[in-house]
Amino acid sequence: MKFWYRRGLLAWLLWPASLVFSIAVVMRKLLYKARIFKSAHPGVPVIVVGNITVGGSGKTPLVIWIAEELKKNGWSPGIISRGYGAKLEAPRAATVASDPAEVGDEPVLVARRAGCPVWVGPDRIAVAAALRGAHPDVDVLVLDDGLQHYAMRRDIEVAVVDPRGLGNGFLLPAGPLREPRWRLKTVDQVVEHGRSMHLEGDTVHRMTDARERRALKSFAGERVHAAAGIGDPNRFFLHVGRAGVKVIPHPFPDHHPFGAKDLEFGDGLPVILTEKDAVKLRAVARPEWWVLPVRARLDPGFGAWLLRKLDEFRRSKAA
């Protein structure tokens, strides 16, 4: 995304528009805080995972990690997402069988990995009600990419900071920020991708048969195409390259609607994909395509902090 690197004259030419955007952002937040704009709470704890920049920052692996951690500790989580690119008018469940073009690529991935209800829709208050109506056992909600969705009141805010930082420090359109940088001081926890959170993945599986697995480093010394339509494709290429693979990189825009022709390179070499991109290619899978799932590893203190915060909510409701 070019505005990560805007410097000098171009950034300053766009700065007046950024100032207007900043004023609008702050006013909107104040209007929600004053309850002039309508907001609601779903009645169970709400954990919001988001960021203050546009583009991917590692939110989805963190959402999956949180859901798994909650389940291990006796909670029954449900996950809510807007479903990037989805054309939905009403709340809808996202499952492993859902079409990513209809519900979004990340919700399908989360449904596959998290093993808990995942629902999508533009009105997240309505989505929360529909999810809980279908799954009354759900006792905590995780809102994926909802830091700026103030219509949903929340109990815990977690902001993910990308390794690229905050770009040039300007708000849209001169820079990558959706909210001013001081917003990070108001959240409950900041997770720094590459410091307090790391993504790990050392095993790939064949796209046409997930039972066939091999170590990523088994490709060491080989030339391999690597394709990624995520917020920072270079992060994926570097990850693959660290295993000794000779990477031929193919970056695509975030949430790119992949088709088979995107991966026809004409040389028969293996192709390694992110798991998020692979869900969009299931119907056209090829034997030479391999998928690299990744998982988040958090500092041990993060899980303990999160569970402590939720226990405080549970005690306050019981009092």
Side-chain angles (χ1 to χ4, degrees):
M1 293 188 180
K2 294 180 180 178
F3 41 63
W4 280 95
Y5 309 104
R6 283 177 180 162
R7 294 291 187 271
L9 182 59
L10 178 58
W12 286 108
L13 285 173
L14 292 171
W15 179 80
S18 292
L19 180 60
V20 173
F21 181 79
S22 176
I23 293 170
V25 165
V26 173
M27 287 301 299
R28 177 175 173 269
K29 182 175 173 60
L30 290 174
L31 289 170
Y32 271 111
K33 187 174 182 179
R35 303 293 171 87
I36 295 173
F37 282 180
K38 185 179 178 181
S39 63
H41 192 282
V44 296
V46 175
I47 304 168
V48 169
V49 179
N51 59 9
I52 65 168
T53 59
V54 295
S57 60
K59 297 183 297 294
T60 298
L62 178 57
V63 166
I64 294 170
W65 186 94
I66 288 173
E68 292 174 338
E69 186 72 6
L70 294 177
K71 288 193 298 180
K72 286 191 301 184
N73 288 276
W75 290 86
S76 297
I79 297 173
I80 295 173
S81 172
R82 169 64 180 86
Y84 184 90
K87 297 178 181 179
L88 301 169
E89 295 182 0
R92 177 174 173 179
T95 70
V96 293
S98 295
D99 184 348
E102 296 178 357
V103 301
D105 48 16
E106 288 168 343
V108 175
L109 169 59
V110 173
R112 173 182 292 178
R113 292 281 300 276
C116 65
V118 180
W119 281 61
V120 298
D123 182 346
R124 287 173 231 193
I125 298 297
V127 174
L131 187 157
R132 295 193 65 210
H135 302 277
D137 58 314
V138 166
D139 55 9
V140 57
L141 294 173
V142 183
L143 188 56
D144 186 3
D145 194 17
L147 201 59
Q148 289 80 35
H149 194 76
Y150 294 114
M152 173 79 83
R153 296 181 205 160
R154 65 285 310 268
D155 303 283
I156 300 173
E157 289 186 330
V158 180
V160 184
V161 177
D162 189 275
R164 295 170 293 178
L166 304 180
N168 58 18
F170 290 154
L171 273 74
L172 293 165
L177 300 187
R178 294 194 270 183
E179 292 187 285
R181 63 175 68 209
W182 53 256
R183 178 72 169 92
L184 293 176
K185 296 181 180 180
T186 70
V187 302
D188 297 286
Q189 189 77 253
V190 175
V191 172
E192 297 183 66
H193 192 166
R195 297 187 66 179
S196 54
M197 180 180 76
H198 298 270
L199 296 184
E200 300 176 333
D202 55 12
T203 302
V204 296
H205 65 77
R206 194 181 292 276
M207 185 87 174
T208 52
D209 186 355
R211 295 170 298 180
E212 187 176 348
R213 298 172 180 270
R214 59 186 286 189
L216 179 61
K217 64 183 179 182
S218 68
F219 288 98
E222 296 184 37
R223 293 173 65 240
V224 171
H225 296 283
I230 58 178
D232 184 7
N234 194 51
R235 183 168 62 220
F236 178 69
F237 304 146
L238 290 172
H239 183 105
V240 175
R242 280 193 286 269
V245 182
K246 296 180 179 178
V247 175
I248 305 171
H250 301 277
F252 291 84
D254 196 12
H255 301 285
H256 179 70
F258 275 94
K261 290 185 178 180
D262 291 320
L263 304 179
E264 292 178 356
F265 303 118
D267 53 16
L269 293 175
V271 179
I272 297 180
L273 300 163
T274 73
E275 197 174 15
K276 170 181 163 180
D277 296 320
V279 300
K280 291 172 281 193
L281 291 160
R282 292 177 298 191
V284 294
R286 307 286 170 80
E288 68 271 21
W289 297 351
W290 296 82
V291 183
L292 177 62
V294 295
R295 59 190 176 275
R297 175 170 56 84
L298 277 293
D299 285 350
F302 178 81
W305 167 83
L306 182 64
L307 294 170
R308 187 169 61 252
K309 293 283 286 185
L310 288 174
D311 284 340
E312 290 173 1
F313 182 93
R314 180 179 278 168
R315 287 195 299 269
S316 67
K317 294 291 284 187

